[in-house]
Amino acid sequence: MKKTISLVCLIACTFIWGTTFIAQDTGMDNIGPFTFNCVRFFVGFLTVAPFVFLIERKKINHQIKNNKKQFFKLIVPVGIFLFLGCIFQQVSLLYTDVANSAFFTIFYVPMVPIIVYFLFSEKLHWSIWPSVFACAVGGYFLSDIGDATIRFGDSLVLIGALFWALHIIYIGKIIDNFDLPFFIALMQNLIVAVLSFLLVIVFEEFDFDKIKLETIEILYAGILSGGAAFALQLFGQRNISAAPAAIVMSLEGVVAAIAAWIILSQILELNNIIGCLLILGGILL
């Protein structure tokens, strides 16, 4: 029963993440990628804060009091890996379309089992490897090798996928040690918002008038993705280990491609559809 609930949480999380790609893409019409990420994750921080206060306030002192060093040893890399994954993903949308960015992001699927197998010596069920292969081949069918600009964007996403893989692995580790999903979501949102703000100061300008023009996109990405989806991810990974969790969450690529087709009229060609089916097959396996 617990695994079923966790699976439902992960599927809901991937639906939100997949549709958030649209908000991420259209949300940069008036502001830069660093500004968008900064405000988005600050909104996510504000969204989660009341749940921390109402549900986990008493648990925080009890669980962290004697393990502060261990908590910060895990939450810092969780926040940094999320920040780096989001930055590469957000910037990639300046150079490639939503479907490509979404599908190349899910290359964290083959990266997660490889990292946990070789670095952490965790045993994996045999079904992981053919699932990984199907997802990787599916991602290949999304690449437009004839367009250098798109290839550059895809390369940025692939770099980001490494950090998404590490984020998923470390989320699994921190939720195993600390049953504080809302507080962990709060802290990682804060870390990403602060680090993104530093990039805004260096590379962009913080213009409130322009930010207000992207209110709907920021609220969608902040409340649903930064707040709800990352909390759902934590609940999901309570009972599902990192490698199969990554495969389930790769469904976000399929959701994003369909959403881009419906909302942004980004047409799915035959090779895109084959990629979708291969990834879906990998998830079902």
Side-chain angles (χ1 to χ4, degrees), residues 75-142:
I75 195 62
V76 170
V78 160
I80 291 174
F81 292 143
L82 177 59
F83 163 72
L84 291 170
C86 285
I87 287 297
F88 279 103
Q89 183 187 80
Q90 192 66 40
V91 174
S92 78
L93 288 166
L94 297 172
Y95 302 99
T96 190
D97 58 29
V98 167
N100 277 40
S101 183
F103 274 95
F104 278 98
T105 293
I106 56 108
F107 264 72
Y108 60 65
V109 175
M111 292 179 184
V112 167
I114 289 168
I115 292 170
V116 298
Y117 182 75
F118 288 106
L119 294 186
F120 299 102
S121 300
E122 292 186 17
K123 291 183 179 180
L124 299 171
H125 191 270
W126 67 266
S127 64
I128 292 293
W129 297 109
S131 298
V132 161
F133 179 74
C135 290
V137 174
Y140 170 78
F141 277 94
L142 264 292

Side-chain angles (χ1 to χ4, degrees), residues 38-278:
C38 174
V39 182
R40 165 196 175 183
F41 279 95
F42 182 66
V43 170
F45 171 82
L46 295 177
T47 301
V48 176
F51 294 94
V52 175
F53 182 77
L54 293 171
I55 299 171
E56 295 180 350
R57 184 179 51 171
K58 293 179 180 178
K59 290 168 64 179
I60 292 170
N61 286 334
H62 177 70
Q63 291 196 30
I64 297 179
K65 185 166 64 174
N66 298 320
N67 294 290
K68 284 184 179 178
K69 187 176 179 181
Q70 175 72 0
F71 181 78
F72 284 103
K73 189 177 177 181
L74 291 170
I75 195 62
V76 170
V78 160
I80 291 174
F81 292 143
L82 177 59
F83 163 72
L84 291 170
C86 285
I87 287 297
F88 279 103
Q89 183 187 80
Q90 192 66 40
V91 174
S92 78
L93 288 166
L94 297 172
Y95 302 99
T96 190
D97 58 29
V98 167
N100 277 40
S101 183
F103 274 95
F104 278 98
T105 293
I106 56 108
F107 264 72
Y108 60 65
V109 175
M111 292 179 184
V112 167
I114 289 168
I115 292 170
V116 298
Y117 182 75
F118 288 106
L119 294 186
F120 299 102
S121 300
E122 292 186 17
K123 291 183 179 180
L124 299 171
H125 191 270
W126 67 266
S127 64
I128 292 293
W129 297 109
S131 298
V132 161
F133 179 74
C135 290
V137 174
Y140 170 78
F141 277 94
L142 264 292
S143 179
D144 185 353
I145 58 175
D147 190 319
T149 303
I150 288 181
R151 282 207 312 276
F152 174 68
D154 294 344
S155 299
L156 292 176
V157 189
L158 283 171
I159 296 169
L162 171 62
F163 298 114
W164 284 114
L166 289 165
H167 177 255
I168 290 169
I169 291 166
Y170 272 82
I171 281 289
K173 292 185 177 299
I174 196 169
I175 202 68
D176 282 345
N177 288 277
F178 301 94
D179 184 22
L180 299 166
F182 289 113
F183 185 63
I184 293 166
L186 180 86
M187 292 300 294
Q188 69 174 6
N189 273 308
L190 180 62
I191 291 170
V192 177
V194 170
L195 293 176
S196 298
F197 183 66
L198 295 177
L199 291 181
V200 173
I201 294 172
V202 176
F203 298 105
E204 298 173 357
E205 59 174 345
F206 207 80
D207 189 326
F208 282 103
D209 291 329
K210 290 182 178 179
I211 289 170
K212 283 190 287 187
L213 296 172
E214 307 294 352
T215 299
I216 294 174
E217 288 83 356
I218 288 169
L219 289 177
Y220 190 93
I223 295 172
L224 288 179
S225 179
F230 282 113
L232 285 167
Q233 179 196 0
L234 285 154
F235 280 110
Q237 287 194 241
R238 268 176 166 175
N239 302 298
I240 298 176
S241 59
I247 292 172
V248 174
M249 288 188 287
S250 71
L251 186 61
E252 70 173 299
V254 178
V255 174
I258 294 170
W261 171 48
I262 295 171
I263 300 170
L264 301 179
S265 299
Q266 293 182 0
I267 303 300
L268 286 171
E269 296 180 357
L270 179 61
N271 59 321
N272 304 134
I273 295 169
I274 292 171
C276 288
L277 292 173
L278 281 167

